[in-house]
Amino acid sequence: MTDSADIAQREVATRLESVRSRIAAAARRSGRDPDEITLVLASKTQPASALKAAYQAGARDFGENYVQEASIKQRELSDLTIRWHFIGHLQTNKAKTAATMFDLIHSVDSARVAASLGAAKPRLRCLVEVNLAGERSKTGIAPGEVECLIDSSRDSVEVAGLMTIPPVGESRSRFAELRELRDRLAASTGLALSELSIGMTDDFEVAIEEGATIVRVGRAVFGQRIIGQRIR
Ligand SMILES: *Cc1c(COP(=O)(O)O)cnc(C)c1O
């Protein structure tokens, strides 16, 4: 390893350790077991070498936003035992490919996408992405439409829970709102819906206090992203 790669490796390891201890502290102060919480490293725009550095520091779950970018990294890292998460917006025409590449899809927001995923890989684990505030800039479906989507998708994919990205400044109340929606839907559908994928660099501790089972953290581990940078 070159010196600079060595330094980068140590930096990622240090930041990862710090995020892990913050996760554990947030879990303990809300009376939860830290092992209930999966840390997914959001690795969009990061080169395979950065993922490998995090892997060597113990990370196993990585979240990617673009199918094409993920497939390049998966090829480069094929010797590692990684659980791959898809956390970006999924287009129907990419769903078939995505189904074969990822262990958990966080961002199902239409019956068509769910049907395409299930056709390619029956019982693939998925989360429904909910747009709680009706923000036009964000993907996800309206809270009132989630039950209908679950009903039409549950035979083709395994609906394991919900995901959301809250409006800036509303993290805690929106996370609580998602958890309450999950509780109502679990009762009405009879599904466990045990996974809540909430929380990023700026709000993952709040998310854990509000019931997150999965947090998706990028900048706190990899450092600031370069705007517009994208690996193709
Ligand atoms: C980039 C991204 C994250 C991580 O964001 P950070 O602020 O870097 O922690 C989490 N979830 C999704 C869907 C993302 O696109």
Side-chain angles (χ1 to χ4, degrees):
M1 223 189 279
T2 65
D3 286 352
S4 67
D6 202 26
I7 290 163
Q9 154 79 47
R10 263 183 277 135
E11 234 167 69
V12 165
T14 304
R15 292 207 206 97
L16 180 61
E17 198 41 54
S18 152
V19 168
R20 281 222 194 85
S21 59
R22 287 168 63 191
I23 288 173
R28 271 187 245 105
R29 70 176 171 264
S30 36
R32 304 183 57 200
D33 178 353
D35 291 342
E36 292 172 13
I37 296 141
T38 300
L39 169 60
V40 173
L41 297 189
S43 45
K44 59 176 174 274
T45 77
Q46 301 298 334
S49 59
L51 281 72
K52 188 160 189 174
Y55 184 93
Q56 283 166 346
R60 290 296 177 269
D61 293 83
F62 292 88
E64 288 284 338
N65 291 59
Y66 306 100
V67 171
Q68 178 70 14
E69 179 181 331
S71 80
I72 294 167
K73 293 179 205 176
Q74 290 188 350
R75 237 176 293 130
E76 285 185 52
L77 301 171
S78 59
D79 54 329
L80 308 184
T81 311
I82 289 175
R83 283 182 295 271
W84 291 100
H85 298 248
F86 188 79
I87 63 175
H89 179 61
L90 190 54
Q91 289 158 328
T92 310
N93 64 355
K94 299 267 175 68
K96 238 179 112 172
T97 309
T100 64
M101 292 170 55
F102 296 94
D103 300 293
L104 179 64
I105 307 284
H106 291 231
S107 49
V108 170
D109 64 356
S110 77
R112 282 176 58 205
V113 164
S116 303
L117 289 168
K121 191 174 178 195
R123 308 307 304 154
L124 177 64
R125 269 166 66 78
C126 293
L127 310 178
V128 173
E129 182 180 350
V130 187
N131 188 338
L132 289 170
E135 291 174 287
R136 286 168 152 267
S137 60
K138 287 189 189 145
T139 52
I141 67 163
E145 293 170 14
V146 180
E147 182 161 8
C148 184
L149 175 55
I150 291 175
D151 283 338
S152 61
S153 314
R154 60 186 292 172
D155 291 335
S156 49
V157 295
E158 182 190 333
V159 185
L162 305 178
M163 182 272 238
T164 199
I165 303 170
V168 174
E170 299 180 16
S171 298
R172 190 179 295 278
S173 60
R174 294 298 181 177
F175 292 157
E177 188 181 342
L178 192 76
R179 186 190 63 234
E180 286 156 15
L181 175 65
R182 185 278 306 278
D183 292 348
R184 287 198 300 279
L185 289 167
S188 63
T189 63
L191 295 174
L193 304 176
S194 54
E195 304 288 359
L196 285 179
S197 172
I198 48 178
M200 322 200 315
T201 287
D202 293 330
D203 55 15
F204 68 86
E205 288 148 308
V206 171
I208 289 166
E209 290 165 9
E210 296 300 331
T213 60
I214 303 172
V215 293
R216 312 175 308 268
V217 176
R219 289 168 298 139
V221 171
F222 295 118
Q224 212 56 247
R225 281 181 293 277
I226 299 162
I227 306 291
Q229 181 183 332
R230 191 167 150 180
I231 294 159
R232 288 178 177 279

